[in-house]
mmCIF file with all atom_site columns, all heavy atoms in Angstrom:
data_model
loop_
_atom_site.group_PDB
_atom_site.id
_atom_site.type_symbol
_atom_site.label_atom_id
_atom_site.label_alt_id
_atom_site.label_comp_id
_atom_site.label_asym_id
_atom_site.label_entity_id
_atom_site.label_seq_id
_atom_site.pdbx_PDB_ins_code
_atom_site.Cartn_x
_atom_site.Cartn_y
_atom_site.Cartn_z
_atom_site.occupancy
_atom_site.B_iso_or_equiv
_atom_site.pdbx_formal_charge
_atom_site.auth_seq_id
_atom_site.auth_comp_id
_atom_site.auth_asym_id
_atom_site.auth_atom_id
_atom_site.pdbx_PDB_model_num
ATOM 1   N N   . LEU Z 1 1  ? 0.835   -1.199 0.000   1.00 0.00 ? 196 LEU Z N   1
ATOM 2   C CA  . LEU Z 1 1  ? 0.000   0.000  0.000   1.00 0.00 ? 196 LEU Z CA  1
ATOM 3   C C   . LEU Z 1 1  ? 0.871   1.251  0.000   1.00 0.00 ? 196 LEU Z C   1
ATOM 4   O O   . LEU Z 1 1  ? 0.611   2.203  -0.724  1.00 0.00 ? 196 LEU Z O   1
ATOM 5   C CB  . LEU Z 1 1  ? -0.933  -0.018 1.217   1.00 0.00 ? 196 LEU Z CB  1
ATOM 6   C CG  . LEU Z 1 1  ? -1.968  1.079  1.303   1.00 0.00 ? 196 LEU Z CG  1
ATOM 7   C CD1 . LEU Z 1 1  ? -2.953  1.024  0.146   1.00 0.00 ? 196 LEU Z CD1 1
ATOM 8   C CD2 . LEU Z 1 1  ? -2.710  0.999  2.629   1.00 0.00 ? 196 LEU Z CD2 1
ATOM 9   N N   . VAL Z 1 2  ? 1.910   1.254  0.811   1.00 0.00 ? 197 VAL Z N   1
ATOM 10  C CA  . VAL Z 1 2  ? 2.942   2.295  0.832   1.00 0.00 ? 197 VAL Z CA  1
ATOM 11  C C   . VAL Z 1 2  ? 4.284   1.592  0.982   1.00 0.00 ? 197 VAL Z C   1
ATOM 12  O O   . VAL Z 1 2  ? 4.347   0.465  1.459   1.00 0.00 ? 197 VAL Z O   1
ATOM 13  C CB  . VAL Z 1 2  ? 2.742   3.328  1.977   1.00 0.00 ? 197 VAL Z CB  1
ATOM 14  C CG1 . VAL Z 1 2  ? 1.433   4.071  1.827   1.00 0.00 ? 197 VAL Z CG1 1
ATOM 15  C CG2 . VAL Z 1 2  ? 2.836   2.671  3.336   1.00 0.00 ? 197 VAL Z CG2 1
ATOM 16  N N   . THR Z 1 3  ? 5.362   2.249  0.614   1.00 0.00 ? 198 THR Z N   1
ATOM 17  C CA  . THR Z 1 3  ? 6.670   1.593  0.664   1.00 0.00 ? 198 THR Z CA  1
ATOM 18  C C   . THR Z 1 3  ? 7.482   1.937  1.906   1.00 0.00 ? 198 THR Z C   1
ATOM 19  O O   . THR Z 1 3  ? 8.549   1.378  2.111   1.00 0.00 ? 198 THR Z O   1
ATOM 20  C CB  . THR Z 1 3  ? 7.496   1.939  -0.588  1.00 0.00 ? 198 THR Z CB  1
ATOM 21  O OG1 . THR Z 1 3  ? 7.603   3.358  -0.695  1.00 0.00 ? 198 THR Z OG1 1
ATOM 22  C CG2 . THR Z 1 3  ? 6.845   1.373  -1.845  1.00 0.00 ? 198 THR Z CG2 1
ATOM 23  N N   . SER Z 1 4  ? 6.991   2.842  2.735   1.00 0.00 ? 199 SER Z N   1
ATOM 24  C CA  . SER Z 1 4  ? 7.710   3.156  3.971   1.00 0.00 ? 199 SER Z CA  1
ATOM 25  C C   . SER Z 1 4  ? 6.897   2.679  5.172   1.00 0.00 ? 199 SER Z C   1
ATOM 26  O O   . SER Z 1 4  ? 5.681   2.522  5.092   1.00 0.00 ? 199 SER Z O   1
ATOM 27  C CB  . SER Z 1 4  ? 7.989   4.660  4.075   1.00 0.00 ? 199 SER Z CB  1
ATOM 28  O OG  . SER Z 1 4  ? 6.789   5.395  3.996   1.00 0.00 ? 199 SER Z OG  1
ATOM 29  N N   . ALA Z 1 5  ? 7.572   2.462  6.282   1.00 0.00 ? 200 ALA Z N   1
ATOM 30  C CA  . ALA Z 1 5  ? 6.940   1.917  7.487   1.00 0.00 ? 200 ALA Z CA  1
ATOM 31  C C   . ALA Z 1 5  ? 6.193   3.021  8.244   1.00 0.00 ? 200 ALA Z C   1
ATOM 32  O O   . ALA Z 1 5  ? 6.620   3.464  9.304   1.00 0.00 ? 200 ALA Z O   1
ATOM 33  C CB  . ALA Z 1 5  ? 7.982   1.257  8.375   1.00 0.00 ? 200 ALA Z CB  1
ATOM 34  N N   . ILE Z 1 6  ? 5.073   3.469  7.700   1.00 0.00 ? 201 ILE Z N   1
ATOM 35  C CA  . ILE Z 1 6  ? 4.272   4.507  8.354   1.00 0.00 ? 201 ILE Z CA  1
ATOM 36  C C   . ILE Z 1 6  ? 3.411   3.842  9.424   1.00 0.00 ? 201 ILE Z C   1
ATOM 37  O O   . ILE Z 1 6  ? 2.587   2.976  9.121   1.00 0.00 ? 201 ILE Z O   1
ATOM 38  C CB  . ILE Z 1 6  ? 3.384   5.244  7.336   1.00 0.00 ? 201 ILE Z CB  1
ATOM 39  C CG1 . ILE Z 1 6  ? 4.252   5.928  6.282   1.00 0.00 ? 201 ILE Z CG1 1
ATOM 40  C CG2 . ILE Z 1 6  ? 2.469   6.242  8.041   1.00 0.00 ? 201 ILE Z CG2 1
ATOM 41  C CD1 . ILE Z 1 6  ? 3.484   6.501  5.115   1.00 0.00 ? 201 ILE Z CD1 1
ATOM 42  N N   . PRO Z 1 7  ? 3.582   4.208  10.695  1.00 0.00 ? 202 PRO Z N   1
ATOM 43  C CA  . PRO Z 1 7  ? 2.815   3.567  11.760  1.00 0.00 ? 202 PRO Z CA  1
ATOM 44  C C   . PRO Z 1 7  ? 1.346   3.983  11.737  1.00 0.00 ? 202 PRO Z C   1
ATOM 45  O O   . PRO Z 1 7  ? 1.001   5.095  11.338  1.00 0.00 ? 202 PRO Z O   1
ATOM 46  C CB  . PRO Z 1 7  ? 3.494   4.044  13.041  1.00 0.00 ? 202 PRO Z CB  1
ATOM 47  C CG  . PRO Z 1 7  ? 4.204   5.292  12.666  1.00 0.00 ? 202 PRO Z CG  1
ATOM 48  C CD  . PRO Z 1 7  ? 4.525   5.202  11.218  1.00 0.00 ? 202 PRO Z CD  1
ATOM 49  N N   . VAL Z 1 8  ? 0.502   3.054  12.161  1.00 0.00 ? 203 VAL Z N   1
ATOM 50  C CA  . VAL Z 1 8  ? -0.917  3.325  12.372  1.00 0.00 ? 203 VAL Z CA  1
ATOM 51  C C   . VAL Z 1 8  ? -1.115  3.319  13.878  1.00 0.00 ? 203 VAL Z C   1
ATOM 52  O O   . VAL Z 1 8  ? -0.882  2.303  14.533  1.00 0.00 ? 203 VAL Z O   1
ATOM 53  C CB  . VAL Z 1 8  ? -1.811  2.256  11.707  1.00 0.00 ? 203 VAL Z CB  1
ATOM 54  C CG1 . VAL Z 1 8  ? -3.276  2.513  12.016  1.00 0.00 ? 203 VAL Z CG1 1
ATOM 55  C CG2 . VAL Z 1 8  ? -1.570  2.222  10.205  1.00 0.00 ? 203 VAL Z CG2 1
ATOM 56  N N   . PRO Z 1 9  ? -1.521  4.438  14.457  1.00 0.00 ? 204 PRO Z N   1
ATOM 57  C CA  . PRO Z 1 9  ? -1.653  4.517  15.911  1.00 0.00 ? 204 PRO Z CA  1
ATOM 58  C C   . PRO Z 1 9  ? -2.686  3.535  16.466  1.00 0.00 ? 204 PRO Z C   1
ATOM 59  O O   . PRO Z 1 9  ? -3.643  3.170  15.773  1.00 0.00 ? 204 PRO Z O   1
ATOM 60  C CB  . PRO Z 1 9  ? -2.108  5.965  16.154  1.00 0.00 ? 204 PRO Z CB  1
ATOM 61  C CG  . PRO Z 1 9  ? -1.742  6.711  14.925  1.00 0.00 ? 204 PRO Z CG  1
ATOM 62  C CD  . PRO Z 1 9  ? -1.831  5.721  13.811  1.00 0.00 ? 204 PRO Z CD  1
ATOM 63  N N   . ASP Z 1 10 ? -2.499  3.134  17.703  1.00 0.00 ? 205 ASP Z N   1
ATOM 64  C CA  . ASP Z 1 10 ? -3.491  2.294  18.383  1.00 0.00 ? 205 ASP Z CA  1
ATOM 65  C C   . ASP Z 1 10 ? -4.844  2.978  18.337  1.00 0.00 ? 205 ASP Z C   1
ATOM 66  O O   . ASP Z 1 10 ? -4.948  4.198  18.514  1.00 0.00 ? 205 ASP Z O   1
ATOM 67  C CB  . ASP Z 1 10 ? -3.094  2.055  19.847  1.00 0.00 ? 205 ASP Z CB  1
ATOM 68  C CG  . ASP Z 1 10 ? -1.928  1.102  19.992  1.00 0.00 ? 205 ASP Z CG  1
ATOM 69  O OD1 . ASP Z 1 10 ? -1.634  0.362  19.019  1.00 0.00 ? 205 ASP Z OD1 1
ATOM 70  O OD2 . ASP Z 1 10 ? -1.306  1.084  21.057  1.00 0.00 ? 205 ASP Z OD2 1
ATOM 71  N N   . GLY Z 1 11 ? -5.873  2.192  18.111  1.00 0.00 ? 206 GLY Z N   1
ATOM 72  C CA  . GLY Z 1 11 ? -7.221  2.728  18.064  1.00 0.00 ? 206 GLY Z CA  1
ATOM 73  C C   . GLY Z 1 11 ? -7.623  3.255  16.694  1.00 0.00 ? 206 GLY Z C   1
ATOM 74  O O   . GLY Z 1 11 ? -8.756  3.686  16.503  1.00 0.00 ? 206 GLY Z O   1
ATOM 75  N N   . PHE Z 1 12 ? -6.704  3.230  15.721  1.00 0.00 ? 207 PHE Z N   1
ATOM 76  C CA  . PHE Z 1 12 ? -7.006  3.692  14.370  1.00 0.00 ? 207 PHE Z CA  1
ATOM 77  C C   . PHE Z 1 12 ? -7.102  2.489  13.431  1.00 0.00 ? 207 PHE Z C   1
ATOM 78  O O   . PHE Z 1 12 ? -6.488  1.462  13.667  1.00 0.00 ? 207 PHE Z O   1
ATOM 79  C CB  . PHE Z 1 12 ? -5.912  4.628  13.857  1.00 0.00 ? 207 PHE Z CB  1
ATOM 80  C CG  . PHE Z 1 12 ? -5.962  6.006  14.420  1.00 0.00 ? 207 PHE Z CG  1
ATOM 81  C CD1 . PHE Z 1 12 ? -5.643  6.238  15.758  1.00 0.00 ? 207 PHE Z CD1 1
ATOM 82  C CD2 . PHE Z 1 12 ? -6.307  7.086  13.630  1.00 0.00 ? 207 PHE Z CD2 1
ATOM 83  C CE1 . PHE Z 1 12 ? -5.673  7.521  16.282  1.00 0.00 ? 207 PHE Z CE1 1
ATOM 84  C CE2 . PHE Z 1 12 ? -6.347  8.378  14.148  1.00 0.00 ? 207 PHE Z CE2 1
ATOM 85  C CZ  . PHE Z 1 12 ? -6.029  8.589  15.483  1.00 0.00 ? 207 PHE Z CZ  1
ATOM 86  N N   . ALA Z 1 13 ? -7.889  2.627  12.372  1.00 0.00 ? 208 ALA Z N   1
ATOM 87  C CA  . ALA Z 1 13 ? -8.035  1.580  11.361  1.00 0.00 ? 208 ALA Z CA  1
ATOM 88  C C   . ALA Z 1 13 ? -7.706  2.170  9.991   1.00 0.00 ? 208 ALA Z C   1
ATOM 89  O O   . ALA Z 1 13 ? -7.828  3.373  9.776   1.00 0.00 ? 208 ALA Z O   1
ATOM 90  C CB  . ALA Z 1 13 ? -9.448  1.028  11.366  1.00 0.00 ? 208 ALA Z CB  1
ATOM 91  N N   . VAL Z 1 14 ? -7.324  1.301  9.072   1.00 0.00 ? 209 VAL Z N   1
ATOM 92  C CA  . VAL Z 1 14 ? -7.070  1.694  7.691   1.00 0.00 ? 209 VAL Z CA  1
ATOM 93  C C   . VAL Z 1 14 ? -8.281  1.246  6.864   1.00 0.00 ? 209 VAL Z C   1
ATOM 94  O O   . VAL Z 1 14 ? -8.577  0.052  6.794   1.00 0.00 ? 209 VAL Z O   1
ATOM 95  C CB  . VAL Z 1 14 ? -5.798  1.031  7.127   1.00 0.00 ? 209 VAL Z CB  1
ATOM 96  C CG1 . VAL Z 1 14 ? -5.567  1.459  5.690   1.00 0.00 ? 209 VAL Z CG1 1
ATOM 97  C CG2 . VAL Z 1 14 ? -4.601  1.343  7.996   1.00 0.00 ? 209 VAL Z CG2 1
ATOM 98  N N   . ARG Z 1 15 ? -8.973  2.202  6.276   1.00 0.00 ? 210 ARG Z N   1
ATOM 99  C CA  . ARG Z 1 15 ? -10.083 1.885  5.365   1.00 0.00 ? 210 ARG Z CA  1
ATOM 100 C C   . ARG Z 1 15 ? -9.533  1.815  3.953   1.00 0.00 ? 210 ARG Z C   1
ATOM 101 O O   . ARG Z 1 15 ? -8.853  2.719  3.496   1.00 0.00 ? 210 ARG Z O   1
ATOM 102 C CB  . ARG Z 1 15 ? -11.175 2.955  5.432   1.00 0.00 ? 210 ARG Z CB  1
ATOM 103 C CG  . ARG Z 1 15 ? -11.991 2.876  6.689   1.00 0.00 ? 210 ARG Z CG  1
ATOM 104 C CD  . ARG Z 1 15 ? -13.042 3.956  6.803   1.00 0.00 ? 210 ARG Z CD  1
ATOM 105 N NE  . ARG Z 1 15 ? -13.897 4.035  5.631   1.00 0.00 ? 210 ARG Z NE  1
ATOM 106 C CZ  . ARG Z 1 15 ? -14.567 5.133  5.300   1.00 0.00 ? 210 ARG Z CZ  1
ATOM 107 N NH1 . ARG Z 1 15 ? -14.481 6.230  6.026   1.00 0.00 ? 210 ARG Z NH1 1
ATOM 108 N NH2 . ARG Z 1 15 ? -15.344 5.141  4.237   1.00 0.00 ? 210 ARG Z NH2 1
ATOM 109 N N   . ILE Z 1 16 ? -9.841  0.711  3.268   1.00 0.00 ? 211 ILE Z N   1
ATOM 110 C CA  . ILE Z 1 16 ? -9.416  0.493  1.895   1.00 0.00 ? 211 ILE Z CA  1
ATOM 111 C C   . ILE Z 1 16 ? -10.671 0.561  1.020   1.00 0.00 ? 211 ILE Z C   1
ATOM 112 O O   . ILE Z 1 16 ? -11.615 -0.201 1.214   1.00 0.00 ? 211 ILE Z O   1
ATOM 113 C CB  . ILE Z 1 16 ? -8.738  -0.886 1.716   1.00 0.00 ? 211 ILE Z CB  1
ATOM 114 C CG1 . ILE Z 1 16 ? -7.599  -1.087 2.727   1.00 0.00 ? 211 ILE Z CG1 1
ATOM 115 C CG2 . ILE Z 1 16 ? -8.285  -1.081 0.281   1.00 0.00 ? 211 ILE Z CG2 1
ATOM 116 C CD1 . ILE Z 1 16 ? -6.398  -0.236 2.503   1.00 0.00 ? 211 ILE Z CD1 1
ATOM 117 N N   . ILE Z 1 17 ? -10.645 1.471  0.038   1.00 0.00 ? 212 ILE Z N   1
ATOM 118 C CA  . ILE Z 1 17 ? -11.817 1.722  -0.795  1.00 0.00 ? 212 ILE Z CA  1
ATOM 119 C C   . ILE Z 1 17 ? -11.401 1.612  -2.266  1.00 0.00 ? 212 ILE Z C   1
ATOM 120 O O   . ILE Z 1 17 ? -10.535 2.378  -2.721  1.00 0.00 ? 212 ILE Z O   1
ATOM 121 C CB  . ILE Z 1 17 ? -12.373 3.133  -0.520  1.00 0.00 ? 212 ILE Z CB  1
ATOM 122 C CG1 . ILE Z 1 17 ? -12.633 3.310  0.973   1.00 0.00 ? 212 ILE Z CG1 1
ATOM 123 C CG2 . ILE Z 1 17 ? -13.621 3.402  -1.350  1.00 0.00 ? 212 ILE Z CG2 1
ATOM 124 C CD1 . ILE Z 1 17 ? -12.701 4.755  1.419   1.00 0.00 ? 212 ILE Z CD1 1
ATOM 125 N N   . PRO Z 1 18 ? -11.977 0.670  -3.028  1.00 0.00 ? 213 PRO Z N   1
ATOM 126 C CA  . PRO Z 1 18 ? -11.642 0.579  -4.449  1.00 0.00 ? 213 PRO Z CA  1
ATOM 127 C C   . PRO Z 1 18 ? -11.987 1.884  -5.181  1.00 0.00 ? 213 PRO Z C   1
ATOM 128 O O   . PRO Z 1 18 ? -12.990 2.531  -4.882  1.00 0.00 ? 213 PRO Z O   1
ATOM 129 C CB  . PRO Z 1 18 ? -12.512 -0.572 -4.964  1.00 0.00 ? 213 PRO Z CB  1
ATOM 130 C CG  . PRO Z 1 18 ? -12.761 -1.407 -3.743  1.00 0.00 ? 213 PRO Z CG  1
ATOM 131 C CD  . PRO Z 1 18 ? -12.881 -0.411 -2.622  1.00 0.00 ? 213 PRO Z CD  1
ATOM 132 N N   . LYS Z 1 19 ? -11.148 2.274  -6.136  1.00 0.00 ? 214 LYS Z N   1
ATOM 133 C CA  . LYS Z 1 19 ? -11.380 3.481  -6.929  1.00 0.00 ? 214 LYS Z CA  1
ATOM 134 C C   . LYS Z 1 19 ? -12.684 3.325  -7.724  1.00 0.00 ? 214 LYS Z C   1
ATOM 135 O O   . LYS Z 1 19 ? -12.986 2.237  -8.219  1.00 0.00 ? 214 LYS Z O   1
ATOM 136 C CB  . LYS Z 1 19 ? -10.217 3.728  -7.881  1.00 0.00 ? 214 LYS Z CB  1
ATOM 137 C CG  . LYS Z 1 19 ? -8.858  3.811  -7.219  1.00 0.00 ? 214 LYS Z CG  1
ATOM 138 C CD  . LYS Z 1 19 ? -8.587  5.101  -6.553  1.00 0.00 ? 214 LYS Z CD  1
ATOM 139 C CE  . LYS Z 1 19 ? -8.245  6.123  -7.607  1.00 0.00 ? 214 LYS Z CE  1
ATOM 140 N NZ  . LYS Z 1 19 ? -8.157  7.447  -7.062  1.00 0.00 ? 214 LYS Z NZ  1
ATOM 141 N N   . PRO Z 1 20 ? -13.470 4.387  -7.855  1.00 0.00 ? 215 PRO Z N   1
ATOM 142 C CA  . PRO Z 1 20 ? -14.779 4.292  -8.505  1.00 0.00 ? 215 PRO Z CA  1
ATOM 143 C C   . PRO Z 1 20 ? -14.753 3.899  -9.978  1.00 0.00 ? 215 PRO Z C   1
ATOM 144 O O   . PRO Z 1 20 ? -15.734 3.376  -10.486 1.00 0.00 ? 215 PRO Z O   1
ATOM 145 C CB  . PRO Z 1 20 ? -15.378 5.692  -8.335  1.00 0.00 ? 215 PRO Z CB  1
ATOM 146 C CG  . PRO Z 1 20 ? -14.302 6.559  -7.823  1.00 0.00 ? 215 PRO Z CG  1
ATOM 147 C CD  . PRO Z 1 20 ? -13.194 5.713  -7.322  1.00 0.00 ? 215 PRO Z CD  1
ATOM 148 N N   . LEU Z 1 21 ? -13.642 4.096  -10.677 1.00 0.00 ? 216 LEU Z N   1
ATOM 149 C CA  . LEU Z 1 21 ? -13.565 3.729  -12.092 1.00 0.00 ? 216 LEU Z CA  1
ATOM 150 C C   . LEU Z 1 21 ? -12.896 2.372  -12.339 1.00 0.00 ? 216 LEU Z C   1
ATOM 151 O O   . LEU Z 1 21 ? -12.647 2.007  -13.495 1.00 0.00 ? 216 LEU Z O   1
ATOM 152 C CB  . LEU Z 1 21 ? -12.836 4.829  -12.882 1.00 0.00 ? 216 LEU Z CB  1
ATOM 153 C CG  . LEU Z 1 21 ? -13.528 6.197  -12.863 1.00 0.00 ? 216 LEU Z CG  1
ATOM 154 C CD1 . LEU Z 1 21 ? -12.714 7.219  -13.639 1.00 0.00 ? 216 LEU Z CD1 1
ATOM 155 C CD2 . LEU Z 1 21 ? -14.952 6.113  -13.394 1.00 0.00 ? 216 LEU Z CD2 1
ATOM 156 N N   . ASN Z 1 22 ? -12.625 1.615  -11.266 1.00 0.00 ? 217 ASN Z N   1
ATOM 157 C CA  . ASN Z 1 22 ? -12.047 0.274  -11.429 1.00 0.00 ? 217 ASN Z CA  1
ATOM 158 C C   . ASN Z 1 22 ? -12.946 -0.584 -12.307 1.00 0.00 ? 217 ASN Z C   1
ATOM 159 O O   . ASN Z 1 22 ? -14.176 -0.472 -12.269 1.00 0.00 ? 217 ASN Z O   1
ATOM 160 C CB  . ASN Z 1 22 ? -11.879 -0.418 -10.072 1.00 0.00 ? 217 ASN Z CB  1
ATOM 161 C CG  . ASN Z 1 22 ? -10.700 0.084  -9.284  1.00 0.00 ? 217 ASN Z CG  1
ATOM 162 O OD1 . ASN Z 1 22 ? -9.938  0.927  -9.731  1.00 0.00 ? 217 ASN Z OD1 1
ATOM 163 N ND2 . ASN Z 1 22 ? -10.547 -0.436 -8.081  1.00 0.00 ? 217 ASN Z ND2 1
ATOM 164 N N   . LYS Z 1 23 ? -12.323 -1.478 -13.054 1.00 0.00 ? 218 LYS Z N   1
ATOM 165 C CA  . LYS Z 1 23 ? -13.063 -2.414 -13.919 1.00 0.00 ? 218 LYS Z CA  1
ATOM 166 C C   . LYS Z 1 23 ? -13.091 -3.835 -13.351 1.00 0.00 ? 218 LYS Z C   1
ATOM 167 O O   . LYS Z 1 23 ? -13.843 -4.669 -13.821 1.00 0.00 ? 218 LYS Z O   1
ATOM 168 C CB  . LYS Z 1 23 ? -12.438 -2.453 -15.308 1.00 0.00 ? 218 LYS Z CB  1
ATOM 169 C CG  . LYS Z 1 23 ? -12.374 -1.110 -15.993 1.00 0.00 ? 218 LYS Z CG  1
ATOM 170 C CD  . LYS Z 1 23 ? -13.754 -0.618 -16.338 1.00 0.00 ? 218 LYS Z CD  1
ATOM 171 C CE  . LYS Z 1 23 ? -13.643 0.703  -17.087 1.00 0.00 ? 218 LYS Z CE  1
ATOM 172 N NZ  . LYS Z 1 23 ? -14.788 1.548  -16.915 1.00 0.00 ? 218 LYS Z NZ  1
ATOM 173 N N   . GLY Z 1 24 ? -12.245 -4.105 -12.367 1.00 0.00 ? 219 GLY Z N   1
ATOM 174 C CA  . GLY Z 1 24 ? -12.155 -5.462 -11.816 1.00 0.00 ? 219 GLY Z CA  1
ATOM 175 C C   . GLY Z 1 24 ? -12.196 -5.466 -10.303 1.00 0.00 ? 219 GLY Z C   1
ATOM 176 O O   . GLY Z 1 24 ? -12.776 -4.573 -9.683  1.00 0.00 ? 219 GLY Z O   1
ATOM 177 N N   . TYR Z 1 25 ? -11.560 -6.479 -9.709  1.00 0.00 ? 220 TYR Z N   1
ATOM 178 C CA  . TYR Z 1 25 ? -11.554 -6.662 -8.261  1.00 0.00 ? 220 TYR Z CA  1
ATOM 179 C C   . TYR Z 1 25 ? -10.208 -6.275 -7.667  1.00 0.00 ? 220 TYR Z C   1
ATOM 180 O O   . TYR Z 1 25 ? -9.167  -6.391 -8.322  1.00 0.00 ? 220 TYR Z O   1
ATOM 181 C CB  . TYR Z 1 25 ? -11.837 -8.127 -7.901  1.00 0.00 ? 220 TYR Z CB  1
ATOM 182 C CG  . TYR Z 1 25 ? -13.246 -8.538 -8.225  1.00 0.00 ? 220 TYR Z CG  1
ATOM 183 C CD1 . TYR Z 1 25 ? -13.533 -9.237 -9.388  1.00 0.00 ? 220 TYR Z CD1 1
ATOM 184 C CD2 . TYR Z 1 25 ? -14.289 -8.224 -7.364  1.00 0.00 ? 220 TYR Z CD2 1
ATOM 185 C CE1 . TYR Z 1 25 ? -14.831 -9.620 -9.693  1.00 0.00 ? 220 TYR Z CE1 1
ATOM 186 C CE2 . TYR Z 1 25 ? -15.587 -8.600 -7.656  1.00 0.00 ? 220 TYR Z CE2 1
ATOM 187 C CZ  . TYR Z 1 25 ? -15.850 -9.295 -8.824  1.00 0.00 ? 220 TYR Z CZ  1
ATOM 188 O OH  . TYR Z 1 25 ? -17.130 -9.655 -9.113  1.00 0.00 ? 220 TYR Z OH  1
ATOM 189 N N   . ILE Z 1 26 ? -10.243 -5.869 -6.411  1.00 0.00 ? 221 ILE Z N   1
ATOM 190 C CA  . ILE Z 1 26 ? -9.047  -5.578 -5.626  1.00 0.00 ? 221 ILE Z CA  1
ATOM 191 C C   . ILE Z 1 26 ? -8.873  -6.692 -4.605  1.00 0.00 ? 221 ILE Z C   1
ATOM 192 O O   . ILE Z 1 26 ? -9.827  -7.084 -3.937  1.00 0.00 ? 221 ILE Z O   1
ATOM 193 C CB  . ILE Z 1 26 ? -9.184  -4.224 -4.886  1.00 0.00 ? 221 ILE Z CB  1
ATOM 194 C CG1 . ILE Z 1 26 ? -9.265  -3.075 -5.882  1.00 0.00 ? 221 ILE Z CG1 1
ATOM 195 C CG2 . ILE Z 1 26 ? -8.058  -4.032 -3.878  1.00 0.00 ? 221 ILE Z CG2 1
ATOM 196 C CD1 . ILE Z 1 26 ? -8.010  -2.846 -6.718  1.00 0.00 ? 221 ILE Z CD1 1
#
């Protein structure tokens, strides 16, 4: 998703949303 070790703080979540113009599956 990213190439550097960016921390996600405790209590936070990462939402992954497919781009609206995608033609297939993620």
Side-chain angles (χ1 to χ4, degrees):
L196 186 63
V197 298
T198 56
S199 57
I201 299 171
V203 176
D205 287 342
F207 284 70
V209 180
R210 286 178 52 203
I211 307 290
I212 306 159
K214 305 282 283 172
L216 298 179
N217 283 357
K218 303 292 183 208
Y220 292 99
I221 295 295

